[in-house]
Each structure stands twice: as C-alpha cells, then as structure tokens.
Amino acid sequence: MRPFIKNISSRPFSVGFILLYVLPPAGMAWFIVLAMMKWGDSIRRRRLIPGDSISILLTMMILASVGAALSHHQS
C-alpha cells in the first residue's frame, strides 16, 4: 500500500487528470483541494499567490463550483 500512496504524492496532477477522465466531479474536487493546499502554503509562508494560468484556472473552477452550489440551493 505504501508504494501506491508514494506514487500518488509524487504525481498529484497525473492522478487529477485520471480522475477528471473517469469521474469528473472527483477530478475537479481533487484539483480544488490541491489549489487550496498550495494557496494555504503560500499564505502561511508569506509568499505571493501565484498568478500563472493554472492558478487562474483553478480559481475560476472554485468560483464556478461555489456559484453552482449557491444557485442550486436557491432554486
């Protein structure tokens, strides 16, 4: 079991893309969790929040997920 967990932790984006293909909601959740962990690490270490295209994409995914949850809750 340890080699499997070590493999996942060494390639989190590969696992995320596999999840996006097999189970899209789980893949989106995986990437959102990765983004939140990276942002939390950046804030704790007092670094600038990254502004590359992947970070912007993940920010938009988080906002879209929250917006969809709120709009579904209101209807």
Side-chain angles (χ1 to χ4, degrees):
M1 188 67 168
R2 285 240 189 249
F4 180 71
I5 293 173
K6 189 175 182 181
N7 193 13
I8 288 175
S9 64
S10 67
R11 292 185 253 164
F13 279 104
S14 299
V15 173
F17 286 125
I18 291 169
L19 283 173
L20 271 176
Y21 181 73
V22 177
L23 296 167
M28 286 179 63
W30 181 268
F31 281 123
I32 289 171
V33 168
L34 283 177
M36 292 174 71
M37 287 174 29
K38 183 172 179 131
W39 289 346
D41 185 48
S42 295
I43 291 170
R44 275 193 299 276
R45 294 181 185 201
R46 304 215 186 263
R47 294 183 189 160
L48 291 175
I49 294 177
D52 57 353
S53 59
I54 296 296
S55 296
I56 293 170
L57 172 70
L58 292 173
T59 303
M60 291 186 335
M61 248 176 27
I62 291 170
L63 291 174
S65 298
V66 169
L70 290 175
S71 86
H72 179 70
H73 179 68
Q74 290 176 353
S75 44

